[in-house]
Amino acid sequence: MDIQKVGIVGAGQMGSGIAHVFALAGYDVLLNDISAEGLQKAVALIDRNIERQVSRGKVTAEDKAAAMARIATTLKLADLGQTDLVIEAATERETVKQAIFEDLVPHLQPHTILTSNTSSISITRLASRTDRPEKFMGFHFMNPVPVMQLVELIRGIATDGPTYDALLAVVGKLGKTAASAEDFPAFIVNRILMPMINEAVYTLYEGVGSVKSIDESLKLGANHPMGPLELADFIGLDTCLAIMNVLHEGLADTKYRPCPLLTKYVEAGWLGRKTQRGFYDYRGEVPVPTR
């Protein structure tokens, strides 16, 4: 199937990053959000990020101009009905995603492929609420999208072969690498990554180490580019907690129990970089551990 026009639901960090890479790869992009301000910020962010690539010699000024011209925005979800591929990149809450798909389905063309950028929620369950479970897949990009090379492709129980093949080809055209994952809670990356982050929070909670010592230990002792608590702040502590809850509920194993300290930070609204406070306080010139 020939995919030319791509609709993206959600103009946040992930949605704007996905729009960025699709536009640069030659796809026409229609970006949707419930906020006009959010759409304006997303387009401005994409412009800045591609300009950074131009300054580094990775993209030409002509390629940037062409990519930006391919991006259109809309506040109407129904407008995405004319696209060949829809990527839902809304908040990591199943009820929100289900509502989006239910509103979108009546407007879709018969051939349109539906996907979700969910990092943990059952693809089979999301697909079952649509009219096209055979044309529904998990299409999980990593953050930040323009930099990270991996895309997880997750088939639901009903996903057919042509849909998988079409998305595999799209990943290749984006210049990224696909990893096929089965439809189990949190798939591959977050099934391994989130329990590590959760264990780092437990290590802090139990007083085994401080924020600084935990992060330095993993950076210098395991050669990780970022410490687990620093990474949690980058991802968003609310997202980390949501994924841990999906793992805990979906696999019914106590080893996935979210650390109470992670829950407390989220309850306080200290969600990491996006709120200026998490395991680090980002309000000054240099991040300072909050514990």
Side-chain angles (χ1 to χ4, degrees):
M1 152 170 193
D2 186 28
I3 294 172
Q4 294 181 331
K5 192 165 187 178
V6 179
I8 299 167
V9 184
Q13 193 174 31
M14 294 304 295
S16 60
I18 293 168
H20 173 150
V21 298
F22 269 89
L24 268 182
Y27 293 95
D28 292 324
V29 174
L30 185 57
L31 185 59
N32 163 262
D33 200 88
I34 56 173
S35 160
E37 184 186 4
L39 288 171
Q40 290 170 355
K41 285 182 176 177
V43 172
L45 177 65
I46 294 167
D47 189 277
R48 286 197 306 274
N49 285 341
I50 299 181
E51 185 57 40
R52 191 178 296 124
Q53 290 177 294
V54 172
S55 68
R56 292 174 181 168
K58 294 184 177 180
V59 173
T60 67
E62 291 76 16
D63 286 342
K64 180 199 168 184
M68 294 307 298
R70 291 187 196 105
I71 299 172
T73 62
T74 180
L75 291 168
K76 296 178 183 176
L77 192 62
D79 289 349
L80 271 60
Q82 296 308 304
T83 61
D84 305 310
L85 166 66
V86 174
I87 305 165
E88 171 275 313
T91 188
E92 190 69 355
R93 291 215 310 274
E94 189 165 349
T95 52
V96 172
K97 295 179 185 296
Q98 285 176 345
I100 288 167
F101 290 127
E102 285 171 7
D103 288 347
L104 188 56
V105 159
H107 307 285
L108 296 177
Q109 299 179 93
H111 73 270
T112 303
I113 294 174
L114 270 181
T115 69
S116 176
N117 184 55
T118 178
S119 51
S120 61
I121 297 168
S122 167
I123 299 303
T124 298
R125 200 162 59 235
L126 287 174
S128 72
R129 303 292 289 269
T130 76
D131 66 341
R132 59 193 69 209
E134 72 286 348
K135 286 187 168 64
F136 193 106
M137 273 189 67
F139 204 24
H140 182 213
F141 289 81
M142 306 294 135
N143 187 28
V145 181
V147 175
M148 301 297 277
Q149 290 301 301
L150 186 76
V151 181
E152 284 183 314
L153 295 181
I154 307 104
R155 278 175 280 204
I157 197 169
T159 306
D160 63 24
T163 298
Y164 174 82
D165 291 342
L167 289 190
L168 191 63
V170 168
V171 174
K173 190 173 175 183
L174 294 177
K176 295 190 182 293
T177 300
S180 296
E182 294 301 315
D183 186 22
F184 288 99
F187 319 130
I188 295 172
V189 173
N190 284 318
R191 171 76 177 262
I192 297 166
L193 176 63
M194 286 303 158
M196 184 196 77
I197 286 174
N198 195 50
E199 196 61 30
V201 182
Y202 266 116
T203 306
L204 178 66
Y205 177 62
E206 293 167 4
V208 179
S210 65
V211 169
K212 185 179 178 183
S213 64
I214 291 166
D215 277 353
E216 282 191 344
S217 293
L218 267 292
K219 282 195 281 190
L220 302 179
N223 206 26
H224 290 192
M226 294 172 76
L229 301 175
E230 182 187 2
L231 180 57
D233 275 357
F234 179 76
I235 294 167
L237 303 193
D238 52 340
T239 301
C240 294
L241 179 60
I243 296 170
M244 285 310 301
N245 280 325
V246 166
L247 280 165
H248 192 218
E249 292 161 14
L251 298 171
D253 192 324
T254 55
K255 74 180 180 180
Y256 298 116
R257 183 172 71 97
C259 179
L261 184 60
L262 178 59
T263 302
K264 192 173 289 293
Y265 268 75
V266 173
E267 288 173 346
W270 292 18
L271 308 180
R273 285 184 174 271
K274 61 188 172 186
T275 61
Q276 297 291 293
R277 276 192 293 187
F279 292 112
Y280 292 86
D281 188 326
Y282 299 92
R283 293 174 297 176
E285 289 186 16
V286 178
V288 178
T290 55
R291 237 176 145 78

